[in-house]
Amino acid sequence: MTNDGPRILIIEAVFYPDIAESLRTGAMAALEEADARVERIWVPGVLEIPAALAMAVEAGKRFEPAAYDGFVLLGCVIRGETSHYDIVANDSARAVMDLAVGHRLALGNGILTVENAQQAHARAAIDGRDKGGFAARAALAMIGVRRSLQGDNR
C-alpha cells in the first residue's frame, strides 16, 4: 500500500538544539496525524534556512510532480546585545517570503523570533504554544489552498 499523503520537507535550524527539538516534535506530531511523508534536513542557523529552501526548490524541479508538496521551516532567533538579531530575523524572513511567493510554495514558517530563551521554550513546547505544530498545519493548509485553486480535490 502506498502513502498518498503530502510530501513535506522540514528544514530546521539547530543553533538552539533544545528549542529545535521541541519545534520538531510538534511539527512531526501534526504531520504524522496528516499521514504526511516527511524528510528532514538541518542547517546551522536561521540565516541558512533560505539558502537550503532555495536549494530544495531547485533540486525539486527535476521531478514531476515536484519533489515536495510543502515545506516546514523551524528555527529560533533570540535577541542578544547586538543588532545581529535584527539582521538574522529580518533578512531570513524577507528571503523566505520572496522564495515562497516567487515559487508559489506551500510553506509553514515556524521560525521563532523572541526576546529570550524563556519565550522560545514557551512557544516551541508541544504543551505550550506548539509553534512547530502550527507551522506544519500551516504548510498542510497551504497545500490545500494550492490544490483547491488548481481544481485538485485530494
Side-chain angles (χ1 to χ4, degrees):
M1 187 158 116
T2 63
N3 179 339
D4 290 330
R7 295 158 305 174
I8 304 292
L9 177 65
I10 296 176
I11 302 173
E12 61 183 283
V14 296
F15 190 82
Y16 300 105
D18 53 337
I19 296 167
E21 183 178 345
S22 291
L23 289 167
R24 179 174 56 286
T25 298
M28 289 301 295
L31 295 170
E32 287 170 8
E33 187 176 311
D35 201 27
R37 294 172 282 166
V38 179
E39 290 183 41
R40 293 176 29 225
I41 60 172
W42 65 269
V43 296
V46 166
L47 208 50
E48 289 78 31
I49 287 176
L53 179 60
M55 291 175 201
V57 169
E58 188 62 31
K61 289 179 181 178
R62 296 178 304 197
F63 302 97
E64 187 56 43
Y68 304 105
D69 296 308
F71 301 89
V72 177
L73 312 180
L74 304 174
C76 182
V77 184
I78 299 175
R79 186 177 298 280
E81 297 176 3
T82 68
S83 61
H84 185 67
Y85 168 91
D86 297 310
I87 293 166
V88 174
N90 294 332
D91 289 355
S92 64
R94 177 80 267 148
V96 165
M97 185 59 67
D98 288 347
L99 286 162
V101 172
H103 293 281
R104 290 162 291 294
L105 304 178
L107 185 140
N109 189 339
I111 300 172
L112 306 178
T113 53
V114 297
E115 296 297 318
N116 54 55
Q118 182 180 358
Q119 287 180 352
H121 287 288
R123 285 162 176 74
I126 198 165
D127 60 349
R129 293 264 181 92
D130 189 22
K131 292 298 185 177
F134 181 84
R137 288 185 293 278
L140 294 167
M142 293 305 292
I143 291 168
V145 168
R146 179 192 302 127
R147 288 178 175 169
S148 176
L149 291 171
Q150 293 175 342
D152 181 351
N153 295 321
R154 283 192 278 163

